[in-house]
Amino acid sequence: MTAVVTGGAGFIGSHLCEALLERGEEVVCIDNLLTGDIRNLDDFIDDPRFRFIEADIGEGLPEDLPAPDVIFNLACPASPKDFEALSLEILDVCSRGMVNVLELARESGAVLVQASTSEVYGEPEVHPQIEDYWGHVSSVGERSCYDEGKRYAEALVMAYRRRHGVDARLARIFNTYGPRMRIDDGRVVPNFVCQALGGRPLTIYGDGMQTRSFCYVADTVAGLLALADADPGDIDVACPAYNIGNGTEITVLEFAECVMDACGTSAEVQRVPLPQSDDPTRRRPDTSKLTALTGWRCETDLATGLALTTEWFAAKLAETIGRAAQGPDRGHRDVSVVSRPRDHTHGL
Ligand code: UDP
């Protein structure tokens, strides 16, 4: 079996590549390293069944790709902090990039798992969120590039399913956390963990009463694999979308307490105005549809997941401080570069 993973050098993508290799599959990882990090591949980049290609899927896919049996399309910046700085890149990868991936699926007959998101529900009026809910999304808010980009990608998937019979499935991924998140990506998990480990106040945006449901990355990856493995005849044709996430919902304030417990600290909290007006107030997945399809369930509770995550961040922070003390980084690994990331302002 050959799997292509776009965005494979990112946080979830790198864990997915690793899990596919552990299952004995050949893995081709494509990433333009815009928000991905080549160091995320350190544990398996030398595996002979693994190949890394630096390329931007918006520009077209590399020509010498082996025909895949399965494609996971995870390429897209995903942190709210990226939504301002990389808005055009996000819209590009969700449109041109999505078409290129769908064409590969059409030509090869591969199963395609498209990484969609809880953000397609926007500020939800239905709670918990079920896949049949159409969402409540601002097309002009700060998050619109991501929310509407991912909704457009879902529409492209449906058009290719209906017109070309592509076997594409939509994985609506809810907040996922774990090792290999970017330290500075601005999301609540890296922010709180790094603040707690550094003895700094935890920044609570708004009143902290907004809720999220945090899923450990191993559970998210298991959900993606289960969805890919599902029999095509069992997929819901009218709505091939499946939520992946953890059903335990907590407020941001409660989450701050959990992070302090995991780090063994009792840092202060600092109130900060909400940076984005369309920050959803409630979010919890109903995952019964994927469980009914595949038997998949979350296995990692928040305390266990946070312990693994804070351990990784502590080591990463120590390494970063050590590298800074040594001067410029000379240890960066050479990789086979098939195409350079393009000038991201050109043609947009
Ligand atoms: N948040 C916060 N402090 C931070 C970062 C985020 O209170 O330092 C809040 C943010 O406003 C949101 C929630 O935590 O309500 C989750 O934010 P994140 O950026 O992780 O992802 P989102 O679920 O909003 O996409």
Side-chain angles (χ1 to χ4, degrees):
M1 292 279 281
T2 300
V4 164
V5 181
T6 75
F11 158 50
I12 299 178
S14 63
H15 286 279
L16 178 62
C17 289
E18 200 166 11
L20 287 161
L21 290 167
E22 277 164 16
R23 291 191 345 166
E25 301 189 15
E26 306 270 331
V27 178
V28 181
C29 162
I30 304 172
D31 202 302
N32 67 355
L33 302 180
L34 184 62
T35 55
D37 186 343
I38 195 75
R39 291 190 184 95
N40 286 340
L41 311 177
D42 275 352
D43 290 347
F44 50 87
I45 199 163
D46 295 326
D47 188 318
R49 286 175 294 112
F50 181 75
R51 183 173 160 212
F52 171 71
I53 301 173
E54 186 177 343
D56 183 333
I57 64 165
E59 290 290 279
L61 295 181
E63 281 177 7
D64 61 341
L65 278 184
D69 301 288
V70 61
I71 306 165
F72 294 90
N73 186 34
L74 275 68
C76 188
S79 163
K81 199 171 120 183
D82 300 329
F83 298 169
E84 190 183 337
L86 300 174
S87 54
L88 295 179
E89 288 79 358
I90 289 170
L91 286 161
D92 190 46
V93 78
C94 289
S95 50
R96 290 199 305 160
M98 185 76 249
V99 168
N100 289 333
V101 169
L102 281 160
E103 283 294 328
L104 176 65
R106 177 156 89 115
E107 284 159 19
S108 62
V111 168
L112 167 63
V113 175
Q114 162 62 9
S116 192
T117 168
S118 56
E119 294 278 340
V120 300
Y121 302 121
E123 170 68 351
E125 303 136 304
V126 170
H127 196 75
Q129 288 79 61
I130 50 170
E131 291 85 349
D132 285 344
Y133 174 50
W134 290 356
H136 180 219
V137 176
S138 164
S139 60
V140 295
E142 290 95 336
R143 290 181 184 234
S144 67
C145 58
Y146 188 72
D147 299 12
E148 299 288 23
K150 287 289 186 178
R151 287 171 68 91
Y152 181 71
E154 288 203 0
L156 281 171
V157 160
M158 294 311 295
Y160 268 75
R161 276 185 68 92
R162 292 183 177 124
R163 183 171 298 187
H164 300 302
V166 169
D167 183 358
R169 299 128 190 232
L170 300 167
R172 291 189 180 151
I173 301 171
F174 283 63
N175 293 70
T176 297
Y177 70 99
R180 301 189 190 140
M181 294 187 92
R182 272 151 56 210
I183 280 184
D184 61 348
D185 89 352
R187 282 187 275 194
V188 71
V189 175
N191 275 11
F192 282 5
V193 171
C194 293
Q195 288 161 349
L197 290 173
R200 286 175 283 125
L202 274 59
T203 49
I204 306 283
Y205 296 168
D207 63 7
M209 295 310 289
Q210 65 273 39
T211 67
R212 294 294 186 271
S213 308
F214 295 96
C215 187
Y216 188 63
V217 64
D219 287 328
T220 299
V221 166
L224 291 168
L225 293 173
L227 182 56
D229 291 344
D231 191 305
D234 293 337
I235 298 293
D236 177 359
V237 177
C239 176
Y242 296 85
N243 290 336
I244 298 178
N246 189 308
T248 307
E249 179 185 8
I250 59 173
T251 66
V252 166
L253 269 174
E254 288 165 341
F255 184 63
E257 293 290 333
C258 295
V259 170
M260 286 189 245
D261 286 349
C263 296
T265 58
S266 55
E268 305 276 295
V269 299
Q270 179 191 354
R271 307 274 177 170
V272 178
L274 267 183
Q276 293 171 340
S277 56
D278 49 357
D279 189 316
T281 47
R282 292 188 83 184
R283 185 183 286 159
R284 172 156 69 97
D286 180 328
T287 53
S288 54
K289 190 174 172 187
L290 185 61
T291 302
L293 178 73
T294 66
W296 167 86
R297 282 175 201 284
C298 281
E299 290 181 356
T300 314
D301 63 30
L302 190 56
T304 308
L306 275 180
L308 294 165
T309 305
T310 52
E311 189 186 339
W312 183 85
F313 269 101
K316 185 83 181 167
L317 285 171
E319 182 195 307
T320 307
I321 293 164
R323 251 207 321 271
Q326 278 171 15
D329 183 2
R330 298 185 199 289
H332 193 77
R333 191 189 291 270
D334 282 339
V335 293
S336 84
V337 176
V338 168
S339 64
R340 301 297 313 169
R342 67 201 172 86
D343 171 0
H344 286 280
T345 55
H346 180 73
L348 291 172

